Amino acid sequence: MAHFWAAPGRRFVIGVPYTWLVVFFLLPFLILLYISFVDMGNDISPFKPIWDTTTGLLKLKYENYGSIFRATDDGAWFQTIYIEAYVRSIGYALCTAVLCLLIGYPFSYFIARSKPSVRPALLMMVMLPFWTSFLLRVYAWKGILADQGVVNQLLMALGLIAEPIQMLYTDVSMLVGMTYVYLPFMVLPLYANLVKMDFRLLEAAYDLGTTPLKAFWLITVPLSKAGIVAGFMLVFIPAVGEFVIPSLLGGPENIMIGRVVWDEMFTSNNWPRATALAVVMIGLIVVPLALYYHYTAEPAQAKT
């Protein structure tokens, strides 16, 4: 009798996350995929049939994808503004993830090694920015990095510069804003991984004559690999499609794919091309991620 009630309970617990993924990821993605093959013509509605009732065949507009990679009708491929936006977005996301790792790892390590009574306060400091509006936090950096902002005023007051330095609407402002916003997403998974580490392993390494730096590289870093990968993905994936930060802190040369999708959908009213851009972006993220987990899961299963 207990087994009868336990089996439905297990199915319910397993089914809830799968239902969530189907409803909030798979179905929206299928809708995007559907719209990406639609030929809107002069209609304002993107929800048009893609099934030709006269011929009984699908009428898919592949040009929505072809225009992403083809610049002109002369066959010049991979020279479009969309490809440039993809490359720029991936570059900014990678730099942001690396900067968050370089800054967040020491901070996470410090929290994990601190006294248990102090850790809640330190973690609260990490999560404190989430209590403030995302838009207000990004706007604050505009005031800090502007020509007449806090940084330039301080540098001129110290006599280090004679005139304001252009920091806003540059790569610097973009990376500063994105690193600041996404840093907690790197710190928290790293801390969750490091706090469970048995630090007696380091003490044993020191007793065997290993230097602190070598012990850190050979013991701490490998044991925190899961936290590094989780934090890197939590930063990289949302940073690729970032829209608000490039709009407020970036200039015309810093347009990322999120802004391009917005312009295509709401300015040009070209929903099929906008959704095609979104589908390609999802593929650029999901496919490498799936391949990574596939090849890393096989050695783990072999060990077990």
Side-chain angles (χ1 to χ4, degrees):
M1 187 68 177
H3 178 74
F4 175 79
W5 289 107
R10 286 197 297 268
R11 288 196 292 268
F12 175 77
V13 172
I14 297 174
V16 168
Y18 279 101
T19 303
W20 177 275
L21 289 175
V22 169
V23 174
F24 294 102
F25 177 77
L26 183 59
L27 288 180
F29 176 75
L30 292 177
I31 294 174
L32 287 178
L33 189 64
Y34 165 80
I35 297 176
S36 67
F37 288 104
V38 167
D39 185 3
M40 286 183 61
N42 295 324
D43 200 350
I44 61 174
S45 174
F47 298 97
K48 298 181 65 176
I50 58 175
W51 183 270
D52 193 340
T53 56
T54 59
T55 62
L57 300 175
L58 290 174
K59 48 178 183 179
L60 306 178
K61 188 177 181 182
Y62 298 100
E63 182 60 25
N64 296 327
Y65 289 92
S67 60
I68 298 175
F69 303 98
R70 188 172 60 251
T72 58
D73 295 333
D74 59 2
W77 292 80
F78 300 105
Q79 297 179 6
T80 67
I81 59 172
Y82 308 116
I83 297 299
E84 295 176 1
Y86 280 127
V87 173
R88 190 180 301 113
S89 300
I90 293 174
Y92 279 127
L94 283 174
C95 292
T96 301
V98 171
L99 288 173
C100 287
L101 179 61
L102 294 177
I103 299 173
Y105 200 103
F107 200 93
S108 304
Y109 187 83
F110 170 75
I111 298 177
R113 294 298 300 268
S114 61
K115 296 179 180 179
S117 59
V118 182
R119 291 174 190 169
L122 295 176
L123 289 174
M124 186 185 68
M125 292 174 61
V126 175
M127 295 183 290
L128 197 61
F130 291 117
W131 299 358
T132 309
S133 170
F134 175 83
L135 196 60
L136 291 178
R137 285 185 281 146
V138 178
Y139 259 113
W141 278 106
K142 291 194 69 173
I144 295 173
L145 300 175
D147 290 348
Q148 303 300 324
V150 176
V151 175
N152 275 313
Q153 292 293 330
L154 180 61
L155 293 176
M156 288 190 293
L158 296 174
L160 299 177
I161 57 175
E163 57 184 15
I165 301 174
Q166 175 67 32
M167 288 183 288
L168 195 59
Y169 308 125
T170 62
D171 293 340
V172 174
S173 61
M174 285 278 294
L175 292 176
V176 167
M178 294 177 70
T179 302
Y180 164 75
V181 168
Y182 291 109
L183 184 60
F185 294 97
M186 180 66 73
V187 172
L188 294 177
L190 280 173
Y191 164 76
N193 189 265
L194 289 170
V195 75
K196 296 182 294 184
M197 176 182 166
D198 188 355
F199 290 101
R200 291 177 298 179
L201 297 173
L202 295 177
E203 297 176 0
Y206 298 153
D207 293 338
L208 294 174
T210 305
T211 62
L213 182 60
K214 189 175 181 179
F216 172 80
W217 184 252
L218 295 178
I219 298 176
T220 306
V221 172
L223 291 177
S224 60
K225 179 183 177 181
I228 293 174
V229 173
F232 199 92
M233 293 303 175
L234 285 174
V235 173
F236 175 79
I237 292 175
V240 170
E242 181 57 51
F243 168 74
V244 175
I245 297 175
S247 300
L248 297 179
L249 301 180
E253 297 82 13
N254 307 109
I255 300 299
M256 295 176 64
I257 193 63
R259 178 59 184 270
V260 175
V261 172
W262 169 275
D263 290 338
E264 289 288 345
M265 183 167 288
F266 297 105
T267 303
S268 303
N269 196 35
N270 194 338
W271 284 47
R273 182 177 295 173
T275 53
L277 289 166
V279 169
V280 173
M281 182 172 65
I282 292 172
L284 290 174
I285 296 173
V286 173
V287 172
L289 190 62
L291 290 174
Y292 170 80
Y293 280 111
H294 173 72
Y295 287 109
T296 54
E298 287 183 351
Q301 293 177 355
K303 292 180 180 179
T304 58

